[in-house]
Amino acid sequence: MEQNNHPAAADATVDHDAHQDLLDDLMGRVASCFARRETRVTCRDMVHGLLAELEDHNCWTMAEAAGHPGPHRMQHLLSRARVDEQQMLDAAAGWAVGRLSAGQDKDARDVVLIVDETADEKSSTDCVGAACQYSGTAGGTALCQVAVTLTYAAPGGHALIGRALYLPEGWAADDERRELTGIPDDVMFETKPQLAGHLLQHAHDRGIRAAFVAGDEVYGGRDLRQSIRERGTGYVLAVRSNYMVALPSGRRVTVKNAAGLVKPGMWQRMRTGSATKGARDYHWAMIEITPDDTPEGHAFLLLRRHRYTGTVSYFLCWSPAPVPLAKLIAVARWRIEEDHQQSKQVSGLDSGQVTTWTSWHRWTAVSLLAYAFLVVAAACQRALDGSAGILGLIPVTVPELLRQLRGTVIPEPRRDKAHREAWSLWRRRHQYQAQQAHQRWHTYADEVPR
């Protein structure tokens, strides 16, 4: 006999009024970042545009959807308006952290800060920081911008709360390109671990606390680990197979050789997490080691072995207090990759057609503002739904919630005939002027010097 869950599932419908209140509260938090009311309204229109269902997300398409006569207001917001984009990002991050950590203990024992990097492929080196460089996102070397990111992960949800543009050495040393893209004079070349350290320190200075920091092999260096320990925070950071560790006996071995000391019976099969197609199970082991530069705390080498391929991953772990294996495994579960994917999918983090330092940071701030709203709204909706599994439903996801919010909390794009025709004429006129400018330039460049 098939049970009809439709009446019960009605209790899991989206509370649009509550989500509208969330968005209003968030926009109120960032209101002081704008010198003028007009710019603040434009920012809200931009948030709506980023979350709207459009073919592409840029100043042209979002301005048309918002009913603007042209893209100039949004372009002004990204380039010349009096806006404190760092304060806006901090306000959005603080709002998201406060909402996601509601009801948690003050010690933040279940909170993890995760550092990683992501890349946005570009077609030109005119974009600030764009260069041929390695990108895990692109699967190799590509022309791209690389950004170091920071995610706050709590039991209630997780969100990107920081992003720093990586400036390659060639860019940092090129005065002409620095001037063209508006890079501040005090911005110098910094490695990705240094950028991650600044993001973590900035979060700590703003009162954001976590029990652990997690990161991949790029961020397993000693300097970053030491700065994390100085703040009293533990870490689970991946390292390469040739990294040297000291065993309690004083013997120094590579982590790969240390893994060879684990007997078959010492591996434990434990669930790392759940995906849409089922649970993720790996074999895990933990070896006590001696911290390389501090006599305090407890250090471990965490080993993760793939069940089928036998590939082993290595993590250096440190904690001011003893922790069980299950806790370290929970920290090693990465959520930041999901944040990268979803922020690009639902809030256009990688869609900004921006070329300068200021416009890149402002696009980032507005995009993460929109993403923070969605993450918190999804967490609130999951709490409202309760145990959705008994209704035959998965917990609501960020993309699914966004589909429900479009047309209610997120206004529908303006589609009336007169507006569409006016924008068509504007685009054709602008493209004609650009075409003429390019032709004049090529004619001038092709002239033979006299």
Side-chain angles (χ1 to χ4, degrees), residues 100-286:
L100 294 176
S101 62
Q104 298 297 314
D105 60 272
K106 295 182 179 179
D107 296 332
R109 287 175 292 182
D110 295 324
V111 175
V112 181
L113 291 173
I114 312 168
V115 291
D116 196 16
E117 62 194 68
T118 185
D120 304 333
E121 293 192 53
K122 296 296 175 182
S123 59
S124 170
T125 56
D126 293 338
C127 298
V128 60
C132 288
Q133 51 192 325
Y134 176 79
S135 162
T137 307
T141 301
L143 177 58
C144 59
Q145 292 172 316
V146 174
V148 178
T149 56
L150 177 65
T151 274
Y152 176 91
H158 49 92
L160 284 172
I161 62 171
R163 193 178 191 226
L165 180 64
Y166 172 71
L167 203 62
E169 289 186 79
W171 263 91
D174 192 327
D175 291 337
E176 182 177 354
R177 288 204 291 182
R178 290 177 65 101
E179 182 177 359
L180 287 173
T181 54
I183 300 174
D185 294 337
D186 59 344
V187 174
M188 300 299 175
F189 170 74
E190 290 185 296
T191 64
K192 296 168 187 175
Q194 287 173 327
L195 292 174
H198 295 329
L199 290 175
L200 290 168
Q201 185 62 52
H202 185 68
H204 185 270
D205 292 343
R206 299 190 63 254
I208 298 175
R209 299 291 183 266
F212 285 91
V213 172
D216 67 8
E217 297 173 353
V218 176
Y219 307 98
R222 178 176 296 187
D223 291 342
L224 182 58
R225 287 189 283 114
Q226 182 176 357
S227 68
I228 295 171
R229 283 199 302 268
E230 289 173 352
R231 292 188 288 268
T233 306
Y235 57 73
V236 177
L237 299 171
V239 291
R240 300 184 187 278
S241 60
N242 59 354
Y243 191 88
M244 300 293 293
V245 294
L247 301 178
S249 63
R251 177 186 172 191
R252 292 186 61 82
V253 296
T254 65
V255 293
K256 183 177 181 179
N257 290 337
L261 302 176
V262 179
K263 297 179 180 180
M266 296 173 62
W267 291 98
Q268 300 184 46
R269 178 178 170 180
M270 300 185 69
R271 178 169 298 182
T272 304
S274 298
T276 56
K277 297 182 179 179
R280 297 177 183 172
D281 291 348
Y282 291 89
H283 291 130
W284 296 85
M286 184 171 65

Side-chain angles (χ1 to χ4, degrees), residues 307-327:
R307 290 170 54 196
Y308 305 114
T309 66
T311 303
V312 179
S313 300
Y314 313 92
F315 303 87
L316 284 185
C317 308
W318 182 87
S319 173
V323 290
L325 174 61
K327 178 65 175 180

